[in-house]
């Protein structure tokens, strides 16, 4: 059952059903008083349950299993390792269109017209939905007067008559590029000559036409309006005149991103060093299942992956290419698609229900289209049947870890187990490996291959630290910009090169503070200060979404003295408009990238050089490849370093090296300027010298000293309730029983830095499990303590989460 209960449930079936049903098929079953769920068959047996009377199933929904046995094994591992129910893993894995239940909301697909294809019952629902826009599955059962409507709803979904309400996706908007061509009638010489004669008096127009011919003969490709404008130096107005005169016509070509075309290119020829790295990886795979590939930024890791993928699909096996965040990595899709064309499928939670169901079935039936799966975190949960290779790109990225809701799994670690189940190989790639992966490589648990030359022998960017303490003292700062950074940006703009500026916070300035009484406005639901967003003149809570207009006076002392403190991406953007009024400025953060194609728009604009300076948060750091970026600026390194987390230094190192890696990826060496109050900080020194090994050594020492992963394993328990006293009593009880078993390995209970979110008070406990004790036993114990906690009726309403490897 797709529910957070550890148990499996037994239902009654007939003998005929028992010979038809197979493990992994879906059945509609009643649950509780009146609910209907889609459940999966786990086992078919002859033991009647003793604690309850088995109910009958409503209906069998499949002719064949929709999951594979290996997949089920993988889910089982997740459930055991991350201490969650198999049902939670199932719910996270199966697209919701395949998991209809009585509560699922359904509405009409606006685009559906062809009512002729519907049978009577289907038509009934189609009609009903014209009168009332949303129904749940139970209501539809009532309309039909049938106990079970799921098969009918499935067929309506297949026929595109209805959509599931929970997913209102932004409709797919293809990117349209405007092209220009000469009208058909001027294709013959005579007409053309007379045209040029006529245009003799209109110099500019004539120039536009002549430039068009030059472009046509040199590029032999469709000509963009933009290109014509740029090369001929005529205005859009002139071109419009020519269009009005019916000399030119404008047309658009859709650059479709979902349906993949045939392959267009052969794999790139590898350089000597790349070839060498590829051979070493293959050799490592002969001895090890897992190999860590430590290649500096722009060394061409992606091209090497492509070669590996080619070999594996030639051998008839499937490949999974895991990305930290697919929305950011449309670039990779485009790159791989050139080589592998329609053999690639993309799987991502932002894709629509039907797209996801399609990928699911393509994989299940081992279709050609699904030989390579490119996907984010959740694609480790899909029905693979014969994986040969998994690539985890940017393996150090935190977005591989799911924090909420359960299952709180790490996709990289799950992928390692998945690979083992398929006897496949797995490559973890990064320019800045996570401490835990490098640790495993050092201990020879993983193979290890390095590549420390950039493709084309471009040097790594030159990184300089700019001491802003000095500049502040000498009053030389201009807003948040040092003189040095301003002059570097100016140089880049003069050379028509692009700039990336990195600021690890969104919003205008995180905090508003009263200069009279020192109070900053707080969120009424959460224990945090509100963030100021200048664009809407609003204070917002980043945790619960609460917002209000910026008050004119301080809510505490009523003086008109509220002032902004700290700074975010939005304020940097504003300052740039003043500093570089000529430059085109863009911003990339959570606020500007909402919607399915939000990122894509900004990335394309930057790629097409419609933006000169791009300001952004860490989204900017993830594996993007821009050709024309010469300068990367980090506005403030200190707020990353001061973050209260045991991985703050490791992460700061990774972020800064990764963002620096966006500079100078083509021909010319890039520059990086990092502004800091503390230029002698060990991490900053290590970033400037690209000294991964010493960073690792220092961090590992600290982990030894203070007992953090990879030296121990962490399990975090979170309790939430709206009554503070209750959550406190519960946490104390839990703390005591955990300490009885794990002694001084238990930290807490404590209130986290943000101790109330959405009106729920929070308490946490942290358990540090030593690596040398059997982990299974410890987890069983934690599970047992959780069960006894939940059997105490006073605590039953407390929400309790367990997060294994919560970092
Ligand atoms: P990484 O993933 O290591 O940061 P990329 O694979 O993005 O590096 O490579 C950086 C740039 O160099 C890309 O634009 C890529 O196409 C180019 N490149 C890398 N290797 C080759 C090659 N062998 N031939 C041609 N171009 C290459
Ligand atoms: Zn809030």
């Amino acid at each position: 059952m797709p529910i957070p209960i550890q148990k499996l449930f037994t239902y009654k079936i007939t003998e005929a059903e028992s010979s038809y049903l197979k493990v992994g098929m879906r059945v509609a079953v009643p649950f509780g008083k009146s609910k209907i769920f889609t459940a999966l068959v786990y086992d078919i047996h002859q033991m009647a349950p003793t604690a309850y009377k088995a109910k009958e199933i409503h209906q069998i929904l499949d002719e064949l299993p929709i999951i594979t046995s290996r997949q089920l094994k993988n889910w089982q591992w997740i459930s055991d390792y991350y201490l969650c129910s198999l049902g939670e893993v199932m719910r996270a894995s199966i697209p919701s269109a395949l998991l209809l239940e009585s509560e699922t909301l359904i509405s009409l697909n606006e685009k559906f017209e062809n009512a002729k294809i519907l049978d009577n019952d289907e038509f009934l629902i189609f009609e009903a939905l014209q009168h009332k826009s949303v129904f749940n599955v139970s209501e539809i059962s009532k309309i039909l007067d049938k106990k079970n409507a799921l098969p009918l709803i499935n067929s309506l979904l297949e026929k595109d008559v209805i959509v599931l309400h929970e997913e209102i996706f932004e409709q797919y908007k293809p990117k349209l590029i405007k092209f220009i061509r000469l009208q058909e009638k001027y294709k013959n010489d005579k007409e053309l000559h007379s045209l040029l004669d006529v245009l003799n008096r209109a110099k500019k127009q004539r120039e536009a036409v002549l430039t068009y011919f030059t472009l046509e003969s040199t590029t032999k490709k469709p000509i963009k309006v933009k290109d014509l404008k740029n090369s001929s130096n005529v205005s859009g107005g002139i071109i419009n005149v020519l269009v009005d005169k019916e000399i030119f016509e404008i047309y658009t070509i859709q650059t479709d991103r979902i349906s993949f075309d045939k392959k267009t290119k052969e794999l790139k020829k590898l350089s000597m060093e790349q070839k060498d790295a590829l051979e070493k990886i293959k050799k490592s795979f002969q001895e090890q299942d897992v190999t860590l590939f430590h290649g500096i930024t722009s060394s061409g890791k992606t091209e090497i992956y492509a070669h590996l993928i080619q070999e594996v699909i030639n051998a008839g096996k499937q490949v999974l290419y895991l990305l930290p965040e697919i929305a950011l990595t449309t670039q990779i899709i485009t790159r791989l698609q050139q080589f592998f064309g329609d053999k690639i499928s993309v799987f991502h939670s932002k894709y629509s229900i039907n797209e996801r169901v399609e990928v699911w079935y393509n994989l299940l039936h081992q279709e050609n289209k699904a030989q390579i799966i490119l996907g984010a975190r959740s694609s480790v949960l899909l029905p693979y049947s014969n994986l040969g290779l998994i690539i985890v790109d940017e393996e150090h990225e935190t977005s591989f870890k799911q924090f909420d809701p359960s299952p709180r799994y790490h996709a990289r670690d799950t992928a390692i187990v998945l690979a083992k189940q398929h006897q496949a190989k797995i490559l973890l790639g990064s320019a800045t490996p996570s401490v835990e992966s490098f640790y495993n490589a050092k201990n020879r648990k993983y193979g290890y291959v390095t590549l420390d030359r950039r493709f084309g022998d471009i040097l790594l960017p030159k990184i300089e630290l700019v001491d802003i303490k000095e500049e502040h003292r000498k009053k030389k700062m201009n807003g948040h910009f040092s003189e040095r950074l301003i002059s570097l940006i100016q140089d880049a703009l003069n050379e028509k090169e692009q700039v990336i500026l990195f600021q690890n916070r969104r919003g205008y300035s995180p905090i508003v503070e009263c200069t009279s009484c020192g109070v900053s406005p707080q969120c009424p639901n959460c224990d945090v200060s509100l963030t100021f967003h200048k664009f809407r003149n609003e204070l917002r809570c980043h945790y619960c979404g609460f917002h209000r207009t910026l008050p004119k006076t301080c809510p505490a002392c009523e003086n008109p003295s509220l002032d902004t403190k700290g700074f975010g991406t939005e304020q940097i953007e504003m300052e740039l408009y003043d500093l570089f009024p000529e430059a085109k400025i863009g911003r990339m953060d959570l606020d500007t990238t909402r919607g399915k194609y939000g990122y894509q728009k900004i990335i394309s604009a930057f790629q097409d050089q419609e933006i000169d300076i791009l300001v952004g948060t860490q989204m900017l750091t993830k594996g993007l490849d821009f050709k024309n970026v010469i300068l990367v600026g980090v506005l403030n390194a200190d707020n990353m370093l001061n973050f209260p987390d045991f991985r703050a230094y490791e992460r700061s190192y990774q972020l800064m090296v990764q963002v620096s890696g966006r500079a100078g990826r083509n021909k010319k060496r890039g520059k990086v300027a990092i502004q800091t109050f503390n230029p002698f900080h060990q991490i900053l020194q290590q970033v400037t010298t690209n000294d991964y090994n010493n960073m690792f050594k220092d961090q590992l020492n600290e982990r030894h000293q203070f007992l953090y992963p990879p030296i121990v394993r962490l399990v975090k328990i979170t309790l939430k309730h709206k009554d503070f006293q209750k959550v406190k009593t519960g946490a104390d009880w839990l703390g005591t029983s955990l300490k009885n078993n794990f002694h001084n390995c238990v930290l807490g209970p404590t209130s986290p830095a943000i101790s109330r979110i959405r009106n729920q008070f929070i308490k946490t406990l942290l358990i540090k499990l030593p690596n040398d004790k059997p982990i299974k036993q410890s987890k069983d114990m934690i599970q047992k303590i959780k069960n006894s906690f939940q059997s105490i009726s006073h605590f039953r309403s407390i929400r309790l989460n367990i997060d294994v490897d919560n970092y």
Side-chain angles (χ1 to χ4, degrees), residues 377-391:
R377 186 166 68 212
S378 59
S379 45
V380 294
L381 305 171
L382 294 173
Y384 300 98
S385 40
N386 84 38
L387 274 171
L389 172 70
I390 302 179
I391 288 166

PDB file of all heavy atoms in Angstrom, residues 377-391:
ATOM      1  N   ARG A 377      17.476  12.867  -9.201  1.00  0.00           N
ATOM      2  CA  ARG A 377      17.353  11.957  -8.064  1.00  0.00           C
ATOM      3  C   ARG A 377      16.397  10.782  -8.243  1.00  0.00           C
ATOM      4  O   ARG A 377      16.770   9.624  -8.131  1.00  0.00           O
ATOM      5  CB  ARG A 377      16.917  12.824  -6.888  1.00  0.00           C
ATOM      6  CG  ARG A 377      16.864  12.140  -5.593  1.00  0.00           C
ATOM      7  CD  ARG A 377      16.768  13.186  -4.520  1.00  0.00           C
ATOM      8  NE  ARG A 377      15.518  13.923  -4.522  1.00  0.00           N
ATOM      9  CZ  ARG A 377      15.390  15.205  -4.144  1.00  0.00           C
ATOM     10  NH1 ARG A 377      16.439  15.857  -3.736  1.00  0.00           N
ATOM     11  NH2 ARG A 377      14.233  15.788  -4.169  1.00  0.00           N
ATOM     12  N   SER A 378      15.126  11.080  -8.572  1.00  0.00           N
ATOM     13  CA  SER A 378      14.119  10.015  -8.504  1.00  0.00           C
ATOM     14  C   SER A 378      14.283   8.966  -9.594  1.00  0.00           C
ATOM     15  O   SER A 378      13.632   7.933  -9.554  1.00  0.00           O
ATOM     16  CB  SER A 378      12.719  10.620  -8.575  1.00  0.00           C
ATOM     17  OG  SER A 378      12.587  11.346  -9.777  1.00  0.00           O
ATOM     18  N   SER A 379      15.168   9.196 -10.550  1.00  0.00           N
ATOM     19  CA  SER A 379      15.288   8.180 -11.604  1.00  0.00           C
ATOM     20  C   SER A 379      16.021   6.924 -11.140  1.00  0.00           C
ATOM     21  O   SER A 379      16.056   5.938 -11.869  1.00  0.00           O
ATOM     22  CB  SER A 379      15.903   8.754 -12.870  1.00  0.00           C
ATOM     23  OG  SER A 379      17.002   9.535 -12.564  1.00  0.00           O
ATOM     24  N   VAL A 380      16.563   6.915  -9.927  1.00  0.00           N
ATOM     25  CA  VAL A 380      17.115   5.643  -9.418  1.00  0.00           C
ATOM     26  C   VAL A 380      15.998   4.669  -9.041  1.00  0.00           C
ATOM     27  O   VAL A 380      16.264   3.509  -8.762  1.00  0.00           O
ATOM     28  CB  VAL A 380      18.031   5.810  -8.179  1.00  0.00           C
ATOM     29  CG1 VAL A 380      19.292   6.567  -8.532  1.00  0.00           C
ATOM     30  CG2 VAL A 380      17.299   6.491  -7.035  1.00  0.00           C
ATOM     31  N   LEU A 381      14.758   5.148  -9.031  1.00  0.00           N
ATOM     32  CA  LEU A 381      13.653   4.309  -8.554  1.00  0.00           C
ATOM     33  C   LEU A 381      12.905   3.614  -9.693  1.00  0.00           C
ATOM     34  O   LEU A 381      11.930   2.927  -9.472  1.00  0.00           O
ATOM     35  CB  LEU A 381      12.663   5.182  -7.760  1.00  0.00           C
ATOM     36  CG  LEU A 381      13.269   5.971  -6.596  1.00  0.00           C
ATOM     37  CD1 LEU A 381      12.272   6.967  -6.032  1.00  0.00           C
ATOM     38  CD2 LEU A 381      13.734   5.042  -5.485  1.00  0.00           C
ATOM     39  N   LEU A 382      13.364   3.776 -10.928  1.00  0.00           N
ATOM     40  CA  LEU A 382      12.628   3.301 -12.114  1.00  0.00           C
ATOM     41  C   LEU A 382      12.825   1.804 -12.393  1.00  0.00           C
ATOM     42  O   LEU A 382      13.742   1.180 -11.868  1.00  0.00           O
ATOM     43  CB  LEU A 382      13.075   4.123 -13.331  1.00  0.00           C
ATOM     44  CG  LEU A 382      12.702   5.600 -13.284  1.00  0.00           C
ATOM     45  CD1 LEU A 382      13.342   6.350 -14.435  1.00  0.00           C
ATOM     46  CD2 LEU A 382      11.194   5.755 -13.330  1.00  0.00           C
ATOM     47  N   PRO A 383      11.980   1.229 -13.277  1.00  0.00           N
ATOM     48  CA  PRO A 383      12.056  -0.219 -13.562  1.00  0.00           C
ATOM     49  C   PRO A 383      13.159  -0.608 -14.549  1.00  0.00           C
ATOM     50  O   PRO A 383      12.871  -0.917 -15.700  1.00  0.00           O
ATOM     51  CB  PRO A 383      10.671  -0.532 -14.140  1.00  0.00           C
ATOM     52  CG  PRO A 383      10.212   0.740 -14.743  1.00  0.00           C
ATOM     53  CD  PRO A 383      10.804   1.841 -13.928  1.00  0.00           C
ATOM     54  N   TYR A 384      14.386  -0.621 -14.108  1.00  0.00           N
ATOM     55  CA  TYR A 384      15.475  -1.067 -14.982  1.00  0.00           C
ATOM     56  C   TYR A 384      15.487  -2.583 -15.037  1.00  0.00           C
ATOM     57  O   TYR A 384      15.131  -3.243 -14.068  1.00  0.00           O
ATOM     58  CB  TYR A 384      16.824  -0.575 -14.454  1.00  0.00           C
ATOM     59  CG  TYR A 384      16.898   0.924 -14.368  1.00  0.00           C
ATOM     60  CD1 TYR A 384      16.674   1.580 -13.162  1.00  0.00           C
ATOM     61  CD2 TYR A 384      17.140   1.684 -15.494  1.00  0.00           C
ATOM     62  CE1 TYR A 384      16.696   2.953 -13.085  1.00  0.00           C
ATOM     63  CE2 TYR A 384      17.164   3.066 -15.427  1.00  0.00           C
ATOM     64  CZ  TYR A 384      16.945   3.693 -14.226  1.00  0.00           C
ATOM     65  OH  TYR A 384      16.961   5.057 -14.153  1.00  0.00           O
ATOM     66  N   SER A 385      15.914  -3.117 -16.182  1.00  0.00           N
ATOM     67  CA  SER A 385      16.030  -4.566 -16.204  1.00  0.00           C
ATOM     68  C   SER A 385      17.439  -5.033 -16.510  1.00  0.00           C
ATOM     69  O   SER A 385      17.829  -6.118 -16.133  1.00  0.00           O
ATOM     70  CB  SER A 385      15.053  -5.169 -17.200  1.00  0.00           C
ATOM     71  OG  SER A 385      15.030  -4.357 -18.339  1.00  0.00           O
ATOM     72  N   ASN A 386      18.228  -4.204 -17.200  1.00  0.00           N
ATOM     73  CA  ASN A 386      19.611  -4.650 -17.406  1.00  0.00           C
ATOM     74  C   ASN A 386      20.581  -3.483 -17.524  1.00  0.00           C
ATOM     75  O   ASN A 386      21.139  -3.194 -18.564  1.00  0.00           O
ATOM     76  CB  ASN A 386      19.689  -5.654 -18.562  1.00  0.00           C
ATOM     77  CG  ASN A 386      19.786  -5.012 -19.924  1.00  0.00           C
ATOM     78  OD1 ASN A 386      20.447  -3.998 -20.078  1.00  0.00           O
ATOM     79  ND2 ASN A 386      19.160  -5.546 -20.911  1.00  0.00           N
ATOM     80  N   LEU A 387      20.798  -2.831 -16.406  1.00  0.00           N
ATOM     81  CA  LEU A 387      21.727  -1.707 -16.377  1.00  0.00           C
ATOM     82  C   LEU A 387      23.150  -2.202 -16.570  1.00  0.00           C
ATOM     83  O   LEU A 387      23.549  -3.217 -15.997  1.00  0.00           O
ATOM     84  CB  LEU A 387      21.645  -1.007 -15.027  1.00  0.00           C
ATOM     85  CG  LEU A 387      20.577   0.064 -14.836  1.00  0.00           C
ATOM     86  CD1 LEU A 387      20.525   0.480 -13.375  1.00  0.00           C
ATOM     87  CD2 LEU A 387      20.882   1.269 -15.714  1.00  0.00           C
ATOM     88  N   GLY A 388      23.908  -1.463 -17.378  1.00  0.00           N
ATOM     89  CA  GLY A 388      25.320  -1.787 -17.523  1.00  0.00           C
ATOM     90  C   GLY A 388      26.214  -0.739 -16.889  1.00  0.00           C
ATOM     91  O   GLY A 388      27.326  -1.013 -16.484  1.00  0.00           O
ATOM     92  N   LEU A 389      25.682   0.491 -16.809  1.00  0.00           N
ATOM     93  CA  LEU A 389      26.511   1.590 -16.313  1.00  0.00           C
ATOM     94  C   LEU A 389      25.646   2.675 -15.695  1.00  0.00           C
ATOM     95  O   LEU A 389      24.578   3.000 -16.217  1.00  0.00           O
ATOM     96  CB  LEU A 389      27.304   2.200 -17.488  1.00  0.00           C
ATOM     97  CG  LEU A 389      28.088   3.483 -17.224  1.00  0.00           C
ATOM     98  CD1 LEU A 389      29.288   3.215 -16.320  1.00  0.00           C
ATOM     99  CD2 LEU A 389      28.560   4.114 -18.535  1.00  0.00           C
ATOM    100  N   ILE A 390      26.109   3.199 -14.562  1.00  0.00           N
ATOM    101  CA  ILE A 390      25.482   4.395 -13.990  1.00  0.00           C
ATOM    102  C   ILE A 390      26.558   5.465 -13.886  1.00  0.00           C
ATOM    103  O   ILE A 390      27.681   5.193 -13.445  1.00  0.00           O
ATOM    104  CB  ILE A 390      24.888   4.132 -12.582  1.00  0.00           C
ATOM    105  CG1 ILE A 390      23.859   3.003 -12.644  1.00  0.00           C
ATOM    106  CG2 ILE A 390      24.261   5.404 -12.017  1.00  0.00           C
ATOM    107  CD1 ILE A 390      23.238   2.668 -11.294  1.00  0.00           C
ATOM    108  N   ILE A 391      26.213   6.666 -14.345  1.00  0.00           N
ATOM    109  CA  ILE A 391      27.117   7.794 -14.170  1.00  0.00           C
ATOM    110  C   ILE A 391      26.456   8.761 -13.198  1.00  0.00           C
ATOM    111  O   ILE A 391      25.293   9.115 -13.361  1.00  0.00           O
ATOM    112  CB  ILE A 391      27.371   8.500 -15.510  1.00  0.00           C
ATOM    113  CG1 ILE A 391      28.254   7.603 -16.371  1.00  0.00           C
ATOM    114  CG2 ILE A 391      28.027   9.858 -15.303  1.00  0.00           C
ATOM    115  CD1 ILE A 391      28.298   8.014 -17.806  1.00  0.00           C
TER     116      ILE A 391
END
